[in-house]
Amino acid sequence: MKFVALVSGGKDSCFNISHCQLNGHELIAAASLRPKEGIDELDSYLYQTVGQDAIEYVGRALDVPLYRRVITGTAVELSNEYGTRNGTESKDDQAIRGDETEDLFELLQEVKRSHPEVEGVSVGAILSTYQRVRVEHVCRRLGLTALSYLWQRDQADLLQEMIDANVNAILIKVAGIGLKKQHLGKSLASMQPILHTLNERFGSHVCGEGGEYETLTLDCPAFKRRIVLTETESVVQDDKDFATVAYLRIKSAILEDKGADSSLIIITPPPILDHFGSTLYQVPPISSLSTNIQMAKYESTELLDRPLCTRRGNWVAIGNIKSPSLTNMSLKEEALQCFQKIKDLLGSENLGQTDIVHVTALLRTMDDFMPFNQVYSTMFGTSPPARACVAVALPAPCRITLECFAYDTSKKDTRSALHVQGISYWAPANIGPYSQAISVDKTTFISGQIGLVPSAMSLPTPRDFRKEMVLSLQHINRITEALQHRNPTPQGFVVWLVDIQDLLSAAGIMVKAIESNKGASNEFSSPPVLFVVPEALPKGALVEVQTLLHFTTEEETTDLDQDGTSNDSKGNKTSISLNITYFRDVEEVNSLQRQELEQATSLKVFYATTMQREDITLIEKLSTKVAVTLIPVKAIYSLSNGTSLSSSWSFAIVSTCG
């Protein structure tokens, strides 16, 4: 795609341009925000403004048009969320008036007017959620895609890569412990040993992500010409023994041509699979299975003709959401009616759509995915719910069935979201309608992950089930690491397989993944793993993996049960838990199991058999006590104790208990 580069002049914004080009994107413009005339540096939460006196040289070195705008706003919204959680169907205006983020919106809108072909925005964010969230919010409103190839990269590795790629960036501001006025004007290469020493002694960020220093790029692979400074002035703002605050004022500079050998510099992207992923990729299939792998022959069942809602404390589960009338109805109308039902049920509990934390979307065919997504994307704004979407054999004429969880945060808003919309090497971008993860009440819902190559947002070629499976788990692992929760413990996994012949490979990889993630938590029992076969998955994926995590907080004093959930000082459960129960015949459900199921918050009933009268009777009875959603699938298998694969099941009930 054609892209505009947001440039501060620093090393990160300039090096990210090279990675955009490495991934096949074309630079057509640069854009930068600056302080008012006569101000060297602005106290901005969002923008690097020191060095703006040299930004015109950066634009000329890139040899593209440079668009600039004066920063007029301030930091009005200071949280890691920006904008409203309401979707555009209820609130068209997603802006926060007077916030400095809106200056970026106006700047990129000007670029779009001049270059209507622009599709992407290069962003040099590495760790700053504050910066990333705001740039992505602006991009979404303008129909642009953030390109953030440095996001979540290891800083030591990244710094070395910049030096190896002949990125000549100098320090133009110092504000961290151990950095002095004499370090101004020094190159990254000469400062590298000092930066590593400060990291080891004081925990300083080697790439300056903690504000320890700012840089000005004089040369990099994306530059057509290099910048040569001819006159500078050091300005000391605060001279303290442990941390001087000083910056370099650029008074004059020239551009000079680069040598012919400059085009020989090779930038190498990080490997698609990290150590965790590479280890899983080598795992052989499970060899033991008590019966032959087989697909079920069944008929999907039309029952539970009413929406279902259960409240347990602050948790609200809604199941079996379908449109009440389907005659001559478009898919859009069907989707809108489903969401109206959800709104009505949430309203009866004094909640709204912004309280939803997870949605399961069941479609009859993946051909309906795009039109469904168009409606879905208007329902949520900032920090949308986590989501899983699959195609199953819904009984005609129903094309959509929804199930969701909501949480009442009216007394205390503990909800947080990880919603990364920029394309990177890290994990797939969730552009628009759903977050990678939503955390609330020590519970994290992670969206279903398919095996996309993050930098390309496409499935591996040639098709490779093992690589897709490993990538799905690597994405979950990286999302979990990015959340930085204490003691993250999986409550269970649902693995959707399109081809049952991949079951043994999937099971072998899951056994190794569970073993690898136990680490210091070996005292916990292995989480249950459910393998089910749907009709199809998004983007034609071969596998999708879902999980639910429990975590603890620093403020609480908790003990962890064998299932990984926590108890308070009185022994009461303090988080949601997930259980999976398997049956070959509904008559196996004893009275104790039935009582436990009736006390759940929600039930997902997977079935790979033709429903008999007694099956229907049990499900109808359960639905009077708890929100039930029926999911017809082609086959059901499970892992026992995280090591051995079961023979096939007729039913699996995933019960979530608050």
Side-chain angles (χ1 to χ4, degrees):
M1 66 181 73
K2 295 181 178 180
F3 72 96
V4 55
L6 293 181
V7 290
S8 63
K11 63 185 186 341
D12 304 333
S13 63
C14 291
F15 193 53
N16 193 68
I17 295 172
S18 297
H19 277 277
C20 292
Q21 294 170 327
L22 179 65
N23 283 277
H25 306 301
E26 179 187 351
L27 176 67
I28 60 171
S32 187
L33 286 144
R34 62 181 178 85
K36 294 178 181 178
E37 203 67 41
I39 299 176
D40 284 342
E41 185 182 17
L42 195 66
D43 187 15
S44 169
Y45 283 80
L46 187 56
Y47 309 115
Q48 173 186 322
T49 54
V50 66
Q52 280 289 316
D53 39 14
I55 204 69
E56 293 287 347
Y57 295 103
V58 173
R60 289 162 58 192
L62 289 168
D63 196 26
V64 293
L66 173 66
Y67 295 83
R68 303 185 73 186
R69 183 179 177 86
V70 172
I71 301 168
T72 60
T74 58
V76 175
E77 174 56 70
L78 295 175
S79 74
N80 277 337
E81 285 190 13
Y82 185 82
T84 175
R85 290 179 183 172
N86 291 304
T88 54
E89 57 91 30
S90 61
K91 183 175 173 55
D92 288 333
D93 187 2
Q94 301 279 308
I96 295 180
R97 300 302 173 197
D99 194 281
E100 60 185 348
T101 305
E102 300 308 313
D103 293 312
L104 177 61
F105 180 87
E106 297 295 334
L107 175 64
L108 290 180
Q109 193 171 52
E110 179 187 352
V111 173
K112 279 199 71 173
R113 282 194 292 264
S114 300
H115 302 274
E117 72 276 22
V118 71
E119 297 177 88
V121 179
S122 172
V123 186
I126 300 174
L127 287 181
S128 174
T129 297
Y130 184 94
Q131 180 190 64
R132 175 187 58 75
V133 162
R134 282 152 179 76
V135 174
E136 290 174 352
H137 189 274
V138 167
C139 286
R140 183 182 179 189
R141 287 156 57 193
L142 290 171
L144 300 170
T145 299
L147 304 172
S148 310
Y149 292 103
L150 308 189
W151 179 248
Q152 290 289 318
R153 293 292 312 280
D154 178 85
Q155 290 187 58
D157 292 345
L158 189 56
L159 182 63
Q160 186 61 56
E161 286 177 23
M162 291 180 183
I163 293 170
D164 291 343
N166 288 352
V167 174
N168 181 19
I170 62 168
L171 271 62
I172 57 166
K173 182 180 179 180
V174 292
I177 189 168
L179 295 176
K180 301 290 185 181
K181 174 185 172 183
Q182 59 264 32
H183 294 132
L184 294 174
K186 300 291 186 183
S187 69
L188 284 180
S190 64
M191 288 297 298
Q192 186 182 28
I194 296 172
L195 296 173
H196 278 294
T197 298
L198 295 176
N199 170 258
E200 292 167 4
R201 292 184 61 188
F202 307 113
S204 301
H205 296 266
V206 294
C207 279
E209 285 300 288
E212 294 88 349
Y213 67 91
E214 305 285 0
T215 59
L216 173 65
T217 305
L218 303 180
D219 193 14
C220 70
F223 282 9
K224 302 295 179 59
R225 292 187 287 174
R226 62 171 60 94
I227 301 169
V228 178
L229 302 181
T230 54
E231 185 180 1
T232 62
E233 177 187 358
S234 296
V235 179
V236 177
Q237 293 176 305
D238 193 355
D239 194 6
K240 295 180 179 177
D241 291 338
F242 60 89
T244 299
V245 179
Y247 67 90
L248 200 65
R249 181 180 290 145
I250 311 302
K251 304 189 79 170
S252 64
I254 58 171
L255 293 172
E256 66 178 26
D257 293 333
K258 299 170 67 169
D261 59 347
S262 63
S263 61
L264 301 177
I265 297 170
I266 298 175
I267 299 173
T268 305
I272 294 173
L273 297 180
D274 57 19
H275 176 72
F276 173 77
S278 297
T279 301
L280 295 186
Y281 192 67
Q282 303 303 318
V283 175
I286 274 186
S287 57
S288 60
L289 187 64
S290 57
T291 62
N292 293 329
I293 299 174
Q294 56 187 353
M295 301 283 272
K297 294 181 179 180
Y298 71 99
E299 294 180 5
S300 56
T301 303
E302 178 60 53
L303 73 159
L304 301 180
D305 58 356
R306 65 193 185 281
L308 302 168
C309 182
T310 310
R311 181 158 191 157
R312 303 279 192 257
N314 289 324
W315 290 99
V316 174
I318 295 175
N320 198 47
I321 298 298
K322 307 170 187 176
S323 175
S325 58
L326 297 170
T327 306
N328 298 321
M329 183 180 292
S330 69
L331 187 95
K332 178 180 178 181
E333 291 169 328
E334 187 175 342
L336 288 171
Q337 284 205 8
C338 287
F339 277 106
Q340 187 58 53
K341 274 192 173 185
I342 290 175
K343 287 181 186 178
D344 293 342
L345 289 169
L346 289 172
S348 69
E349 299 292 340
N350 296 317
L351 300 178
Q353 278 187 192
T354 58
D355 296 302
I356 298 174
V357 295
H358 186 271
V359 175
T360 299
L362 305 174
L363 306 179
R364 196 166 74 210
T365 170
M366 272 298 154
D367 292 341
D368 292 334
F369 180 78
M370 290 302 292
F372 168 75
N373 223 28
Q374 288 172 359
V375 175
Y376 189 98
S377 64
T378 67
M379 297 294 156
F380 306 101
T382 295
S383 303
R387 187 181 79 176
C389 183
V390 299
V392 295
L394 297 175
C398 176
R399 291 172 291 183
I400 303 168
T401 297
L402 300 180
E403 182 240 30
C404 69
F405 275 94
Y407 187 84
D408 187 349
T409 58
S410 58
K411 294 182 180 178
K412 183 179 180 182
D413 190 355
T414 60
R415 171 184 168 135
S416 63
L418 179 65
H419 186 204
V420 180
Q421 301 176 73
I423 295 176
S424 69
Y425 298 116
W426 169 70
N430 287 3
I431 301 172
Y434 62 102
S435 297
Q436 279 88 355
I438 294 289
S439 299
V440 65
D441 191 26
K442 298 176 284 297
T443 301
T444 296
F445 294 85
I446 294 183
S447 288
Q449 296 296 312
I450 62 176
L452 294 172
V453 176
S455 59
M457 288 297 290
S458 60
L459 296 165
T461 53
R463 297 306 297 273
D464 182 344
F465 170 81
R466 296 177 61 77
K467 183 166 282 187
E468 286 190 38
M469 178 75 184
V470 167
L471 278 168
S472 298
L473 291 168
Q474 178 175 286
H475 301 334
I476 289 174
N477 196 53
R478 289 182 173 182
I479 289 167
T480 303
E481 289 177 347
L483 292 168
Q484 297 184 330
H485 291 326
R486 298 178 73 230
N487 304 316
T489 306
Q491 297 291 290
F493 294 89
V494 177
V495 181
W496 301 83
L497 305 170
V498 170
D499 189 343
I500 193 64
Q501 298 306 314
D502 293 321
L503 175 62
L504 297 182
S505 289
I509 291 168
M510 281 305 307
V511 169
K512 183 63 176 178
I514 290 170
E515 176 187 301
S516 300
N517 275 326
K518 276 187 176 180
S521 303
N522 266 323
E523 68 271 18
F524 302 137
S525 59
S526 297
V529 181
L530 174 65
F531 299 97
V532 288
V533 180
E535 295 294 318
L537 295 172
K539 295 183 178 290
L542 300 175
V543 61
E544 178 174 338
V545 184
Q546 289 177 254
T547 191
L548 176 76
L549 301 177
H550 169 263
F551 61 94
T552 59
T553 61
E554 294 183 4
E555 294 79 13
E556 66 180 345
T557 302
T558 59
D559 296 314
L560 295 181
D561 283 347
Q562 287 298 307
D563 64 1
T565 58
S566 63
N567 297 323
D568 62 21
S569 58
K570 297 180 180 179
N572 299 315
K573 287 284 184 184
T574 59
S575 65
I576 204 166
S577 63
L578 180 147
N579 298 292
I580 305 178
T581 312
Y582 311 97
F583 308 104
R584 292 190 177 86
D585 193 304
V586 75
E587 294 179 357
E588 297 177 15
V589 182
N590 58 42
S591 58
L592 179 60
Q593 288 173 322
R594 184 174 301 185
Q595 183 179 5
E596 290 175 347
L597 292 174
E598 289 175 349
Q599 293 173 351
T601 309
S602 80
L603 299 177
K604 290 190 186 75
V605 180
F606 296 85
Y607 65 99
T609 184
T610 300
M611 289 276 192
Q612 305 301 315
R613 182 180 298 277
E614 56 268 28
D615 304 328
I616 295 172
T617 300
L618 172 62
I619 291 168
E620 289 282 6
K621 286 182 178 179
L622 289 173
S623 71
T624 64
K625 305 284 187 178
V626 60
V628 177
T629 299
L630 290 175
I631 306 176
V633 292
K634 296 178 180 179
I636 301 172
Y637 288 82
S638 65
L639 274 184
S640 302
N641 299 319
T643 57
S644 59
L645 191 63
S646 73
S647 55
S648 62
W649 301 99
S650 298
F651 297 92
I653 301 180
V654 177
S655 56
T656 312
C657 307

